[in-house]
Amino acid sequence: MKQLHALVIGAGIGGTAAAIALRRAGLDVSLFEQTVAQREVGAGIQISPNASRLLGRYGLDEAMAQAAVRPSAVVFRRWQDGHVLGREELGDAIENRYGTPYYHFHRADLISLLADAFGRNEIELGGRLVDIEQDESGVTARFEDGTSARGDLLIGADGIHSQVRERLFGVEKPRFSGQIAYRGLAPSERVAHLGLPLEVTNWVGPGGHFVHYFVSSGRFLNFVAVSEEATWTREQWSDRGSIDDAAKQYQGWHPQLATILGAVDETFKWALFDRNPLPEWTKGRVALLGDACHPMLPYMAQGAAQAIEDGAALAACLKHSDFDIPSAFRAYVALRKPRATEVQERSRANATSFHLPDGPEQLDRDRLFATRGVRGSSEAMNKLYGYDAEVVAPTLEEKR
């Protein structure tokens, strides 16, 4: 059987992880990135066991342990006085439970180790997609510089503003959530006097929430400060932000938040977008993954993890179907769409829950944090973190 050639558009976390998974499954893979240099300003990212177990199989256990922080717990605190609303152990507890660690990364560190695993020099930079053509024998990607590439299948991993998705299904703007996030990094020595443990801490309050955790082997404290904004009129979905503006959003909150913001040199202001679930993820020889087909709000810390799952599942479906592309794509969508849609919906629900004003609903939420757990029931956590995308894929009864 001829080795299939896959074109992967987008060398972010999801695209590069998918390229590695497809290569492991036996495909020849070409990976394209529209920027001329890989760089990330998004700062921190959480990689839960459902993703770290896959990256470990890709040979990245040692690299992850060196680059990341292994948090001890996730803690939710009340906005004004810091009262602990709920706490769940991570660290050894979650690794023993699911067989693989929970990590905090700087996005640039994670992309760097993925690029090294695929082969940094093999990533084709500056490949800005302008068109896709497909026929019975293959698919062609055409790029802005006049070059093109031909493959047997094409994977669109090019984010929420996906050009691949647009070429397949037309223009459709993502939905502005009404929330914006200030993101940034504080050198750890500037906040050392706070004595912060290696935890992910979520401060929840009226109209906003504030998250912080260490990244880059503990060298930086990453923060994400989310507040509500009625409109977003700028074309770009991220801007350089003002630390003073961020601090104003949290006046009256616990003084620790002002201390963290005061330790930051710069911040970026991001509009938070998502989409309603797309009716289709594939067309012919082209499939979407990650934010290209299921962008989600960051309130379950699952955006990157679900994209990594997508790539692993797609590779497993191709291998299990003896590399029959239509059959593999049907199985991929049947397997991944319900799970990704559920995570999207839960993330959107948390956008409301985390921002409740003080009152009866807030008190009910806090009681759930204390009794059920801050990330849902044990059954919900097992369903999320115990999932193995490579193992589940071959068991799926294909939709024919």
Side-chain angles (χ1 to χ4, degrees), residues 281 294 296 306 336-345:
W281 288 13
H294 54 71
M296 56 189 68
Q306 292 302 306
R336 294 299 306 155
K337 190 174 178 182
R339 178 169 168 85
T341 298
E342 180 180 354
V343 176
Q344 277 182 297
E345 291 171 348

Side-chain angles (χ1 to χ4, degrees), residues 115-130:
D116 287 341
F118 179 78
R120 189 177 297 272
N121 293 333
E122 297 180 51
I123 301 173
E124 302 190 42
L125 300 174
R128 185 178 293 275
L129 186 78
V130 294

Side-chain angles (χ1 to χ4, degrees), residues 145-352:
D145 63 2
T147 62
S148 63
R150 180 80 171 171
D152 297 292
L153 65 156
L154 184 147
I155 309 303
D158 50 343
I160 191 170
H161 299 295
S162 170
Q163 291 299 304
V164 177
R165 189 204 61 78
E166 186 173 312
R167 296 299 177 276
L168 292 186
F169 303 119
V171 178
E172 180 189 349
K173 290 187 176 181
R175 183 191 74 93
F176 175 52
S177 67
Q179 298 177 346
I180 58 99
Y182 290 91
R183 303 175 187 256
L185 298 165
S188 57
E189 62 270 15
R190 296 185 189 173
V191 294
H193 64 287
L194 295 175
L196 299 174
L198 293 181
E199 298 173 346
V200 52
T201 302
N202 299 263
W203 303 76
V204 291
H209 74 284
F210 192 105
V211 184
H212 58 80
Y213 52 86
F214 287 98
V215 297
S216 298
S217 302
R219 296 193 303 276
F220 296 99
L221 182 72
N222 172 75
F223 80 87
V224 183
V226 180
S227 58
E228 296 177 356
E229 188 163 308
T231 60
W232 186 269
T233 57
R234 293 173 288 283
E235 290 187 12
Q236 296 297 320
W237 67 323
S238 67
D239 291 336
R240 188 172 296 276
S242 162
I243 296 169
D244 288 341
D245 286 346
K248 288 176 184 175
Q249 300 287 342
Y250 297 91
Q251 287 180 349
W253 289 51
H254 193 282
Q256 183 173 292
L257 308 190
T259 302
I260 291 171
L261 289 170
V264 174
D265 288 325
E266 63 177 359
T267 183
F268 291 87
K269 183 180 180 182
W270 295 64
L272 299 181
F273 288 88
D274 68 354
R275 292 184 187 277
N276 292 322
L278 290 178
E280 301 292 339
W281 288 13
T282 67
K283 188 173 184 180
R285 294 173 174 269
V286 182
L288 303 174
L289 66 75
D291 283 354
C293 54
H294 54 71
M296 56 189 68
L297 298 173
Y299 305 135
M300 287 185 63
Q302 280 293 305
Q306 292 302 306
I308 292 167
E309 283 188 10
D310 287 345
L314 180 56
C317 288
L318 283 160
K319 191 171 184 178
H320 181 61
S321 68
D322 292 326
F323 305 101
D324 179 79
I325 294 170
S327 177
F329 280 7
R330 286 194 297 272
Y332 164 68
V333 174
L335 182 73
R336 294 299 306 155
K337 190 174 178 182
R339 178 169 168 85
T341 298
E342 180 180 354
V343 176
Q344 277 182 297
E345 291 171 348
R346 289 181 62 191
S347 297
R348 191 177 284 184
N350 283 346
T352 299

